[in-house]
Structures are given as C-alpha cells and as structure tokens.
Amino acid sequence: MTVKELLERYAAGERDFSGVDLSGANLASANLAGANLRNACLRGATIDGAVLDDTNFESADLSGAYLAHTVLIRTNFRNAALNGSTWMESALEDVDLSEATLCGGGMLQAFLRRVNLTSADLSGSDMGDVNLVDTNLSSTCLMGAKYFESVGCEGVILSNTVMPDGSISNGRLD
C-alpha cells in the first residue's frame, strides 16, 4: 500500500490498516486518529507532527521511525518494536507502551503523562530532559539509558525497575 492510498482510504472512512507495510513512508503531519495499524510495518517511517490520537500500533514495527514533535493521546504501542526511534520534543498522554522495545531510541525533551511503560525495554535510550508525570515504570529496563539523571519525575512508579546502572529500584520518584 502506498501512502497516498492509505490517506485516501482513511479520508473515505476506512480505519483498519492492520498488517500494512509502510516501511520508510513519509506520514509527517498526517491525520491517522483512530486508525488500526496493529502488526503494521513502519520501519524507518517519518511520522513527525502526525495526529495519532486513539491510534492502535499494537505489535507494530516502528524501528527507526521518526516521531518527533508529535502529540500522542490514548495511543496504543503495546508490544511494539520501536528500537532506534526518535521521540524528541513529543508529548505522550495516556499512552500504552507496555512490553514495547525502545532500545537505543531518543526521547530528548519528551513529556510523558500517565504513560504505561510496564515491562518496556528502554536500554541505551537517550532520555535527556524527559519529563515523566504519573508514569508507570514497573519492570521496565533502563539499563544504560543516557542522561536519566536529567529526567524530571513526578509520581513515577518504580517496581522491580532496572535502573541505568543495573540496580533494581522500587518505590516512587517525585
């Protein structure tokens, strides 16, 4: 499927695009609110500035995707592959990233509110100046995450969380 075809079908009211291959696609500033992209392949896609409220990316492959400057509300990335993806200056609210892999990605200056990162893998991610508010990091792996000391935290839940230095942490960061 081409980007043009996807956007035309979306404009016509279709929302189920599960399993599509849009590797390397340019979806910058596209409106895909409410779309089902479960199991889709969006490796290396450019998705910055897109409207993705209530979009389902469960088990999708967005490795190397560029999601900078994007506002994500109630978006589902459960079990998604997001290795090497860029989230710079993005805002995430009520987003499910549980069991997702975000190894080696960049979240510079991102803002996360009520984001579920339970059992997610953020090993080696760049977390410089990220703000986490009411975010769940239970069983999350942050091993080798860069600049975690600059992360702003308010109401962050830690339970069996692997910290950047490899230690296990439980409790709350405020």
Side-chain angles (χ1 to χ4, degrees):
M1 175 179 298
T2 66
V3 171
K4 182 180 180 205
E5 182 182 1
L6 170 83
L7 296 176
E8 286 172 354
R9 289 167 61 177
Y10 181 90
E14 187 173 341
R15 295 295 181 266
D16 188 2
F17 303 103
S18 53
V20 298
D21 186 348
L22 292 164
S23 298
N26 184 351
L27 294 166
S29 302
N31 181 357
L32 294 172
N36 180 11
L37 289 157
R38 183 176 188 189
N39 295 314
C41 184
L42 293 148
R43 292 177 67 88
T46 300
I47 313 174
D48 63 314
V51 178
L52 301 171
D53 299 355
D54 299 303
T55 301
N56 182 14
F57 289 102
E58 184 171 353
S59 301
D61 185 352
L62 291 102
S63 299
Y66 187 75
L67 293 132
H69 314 290
T70 303
V71 176
L72 303 155
I73 300 172
R74 295 176 307 276
T75 307
N76 180 11
F77 289 100
R78 183 180 180 88
N79 200 39
L82 294 149
N83 297 314
S85 58
T86 302
W87 301 74
M88 183 176 61
E89 297 179 359
S90 290
L92 290 72
E93 187 168 337
D94 297 314
V95 170
D96 186 357
L97 281 159
S98 60
E99 301 176 23
T101 55
L102 296 102
C103 300
M107 297 186 102
L108 287 167
Q109 300 173 344
F111 180 83
L112 287 71
R113 179 186 300 277
R114 292 185 304 272
V115 172
N116 183 3
L117 283 158
T118 301
S119 299
D121 188 351
L122 282 83
S123 300
S125 292
D126 188 339
M127 300 188 72
D129 296 321
V130 170
N131 284 294
L132 303 174
V133 178
D134 299 327
T135 295
N136 189 344
L137 295 176
S138 296
S139 300
T140 299
C141 181
L142 298 166
M143 179 71 103
K146 300 174 195 87
Y147 309 113
F148 191 77
E149 65 280 357
S150 72
V151 172
C153 296
E154 181 182 320
V156 175
I157 299 166
L158 304 175
S159 176
N160 294 318
T161 304
V162 179
M163 301 305 286
D165 64 1
S167 64
I168 304 294
S169 191
N170 294 291
R172 201 171 159 92
L173 295 176
D174 287 304

